[in-house]
Amino acid sequence: MENFWDMRFKQDAYVYGTQPNAFFKEAIDRYKPTGKLLLPAEGEGRNATYAAKKGLNVYAFDTSIEGKNKAMKLAERNNVSINYEVGDFFNLELLNETFDAAALIFAHFSLDILQDYHKKVVELLKPNGLIIIEAFSKNHIEFQKVNPLAGGPKNIDMLFSKETIARDFPNFEILKLDEIEDTLKEGEFHNGKAKLIRFIGRKMV
């Protein structure tokens, strides 16, 4: 997958745009988390840059060096600093309960690692830590058939449902958990009507 994402991010254009994901921005602006923010699968840095501008101490990572290169350029252009590593999540040296918030924005993974991935995010969050998730719904498959540029994995096992969120984040106060239809305008590859899962939760003590 590194080669896939390196090839996608290698072009000069920011393929998902330079503006933060709208749901992520809305959640940051409303709940105003402070301290350390974890951003797995951060890609080209649009969300990391916005969070840093809001005063958060951002720790982002991805498997793509091309994604990191563009993220660092975007942060520099916006006069902010972000921490960004390249590597596999399970090999990064991170301490449990050290992050005040985490966001998974279109962080889709194969079924064999997805639950472990979510479990690790939960472990890294402090008690009362905030989680923000936007992902394509299992019902998004129908939108992809109509418009391939709507984005998202074509493997239904990699897509989300309200039930899978409830399963993977059981010890969270649910602040928001919806399946909605919206029109994405995020660069070249998230463009058009989409069926989405949106979740905001707070880790219970």
Side-chain angles (χ1 to χ4, degrees):
M1 289 302 289
E2 292 94 326
N3 290 336
F4 173 85
W5 290 112
D6 280 341
M7 289 298 295
R8 174 160 289 190
F9 294 148
K10 196 168 186 177
Q11 60 181 285
D12 291 336
Y14 282 73
V15 297
Y16 297 106
T18 57
Q19 296 303 307
N21 170 265
F23 180 63
F24 173 79
K25 179 181 183 297
E26 176 187 304
I28 293 294
D29 292 350
R30 178 176 179 181
Y31 292 98
K32 296 178 171 59
T34 58
K36 293 181 67 176
L37 171 68
L38 176 68
L39 285 176
E42 173 53 9
E44 299 167 300
R46 60 196 177 110
N47 299 315
T49 296
Y50 182 77
K53 289 170 73 174
K54 301 297 285 188
L56 284 155
N57 180 3
V58 176
Y59 179 93
F61 67 88
D62 202 289
T63 58
S64 170
I65 185 63
E66 298 292 345
K68 176 183 178 178
N69 291 340
K70 291 171 81 174
M72 300 309 287
K73 289 177 184 176
L74 185 62
E76 184 178 1
R77 286 211 306 264
N78 284 270
N79 298 309
V80 295
S81 176
I82 61 174
N83 299 306
Y84 195 124
E85 289 198 45
V86 175
D88 180 273
F89 191 16
F90 300 103
N91 294 328
L92 297 176
E93 295 183 2
L94 300 171
L95 297 176
N96 287 348
E97 298 190 355
T98 54
F99 289 91
D100 301 280
L104 294 162
I105 306 300
F106 298 115
H108 292 269
F109 302 98
S110 59
L111 194 61
D112 60 322
I113 68 166
L114 183 60
Q115 282 185 268
D116 288 338
Y117 205 100
H118 287 167
K119 181 182 177 184
K120 186 170 177 64
V121 171
V122 171
E123 291 171 346
L124 292 170
L125 274 176
K126 295 177 182 177
N128 295 313
L130 192 74
I131 182 92
I132 303 164
I133 294 177
E134 176 159 89
F136 291 106
S137 160
K138 292 183 182 295
N139 294 313
H140 180 65
I141 292 288
E142 297 304 314
F143 290 80
Q144 287 179 326
K145 292 176 182 176
V146 176
N147 174 22
L149 293 180
K154 294 177 173 57
N155 179 351
I156 196 167
D157 289 335
M158 295 177 69
L159 302 177
F160 285 57
S161 68
K162 291 167 67 174
E163 290 73 22
T164 58
I165 290 290
R167 176 200 68 197
D168 290 356
F169 300 92
N171 298 316
F172 279 71
E173 176 190 0
I174 296 175
L175 305 176
K176 182 183 185 70
L177 180 55
D178 296 322
E179 180 177 19
I180 61 100
E181 180 181 321
D182 201 357
T183 300
L184 296 177
K185 296 178 182 178
E186 298 185 325
E188 182 180 353
F189 293 105
H190 284 173
N191 213 322
K193 287 186 178 180
K195 201 77 169 182
L196 306 167
I197 298 294
R198 289 175 172 169
F199 173 55
I200 302 174
R202 194 173 298 282
K203 184 176 178 180
M204 293 187 287
V205 178

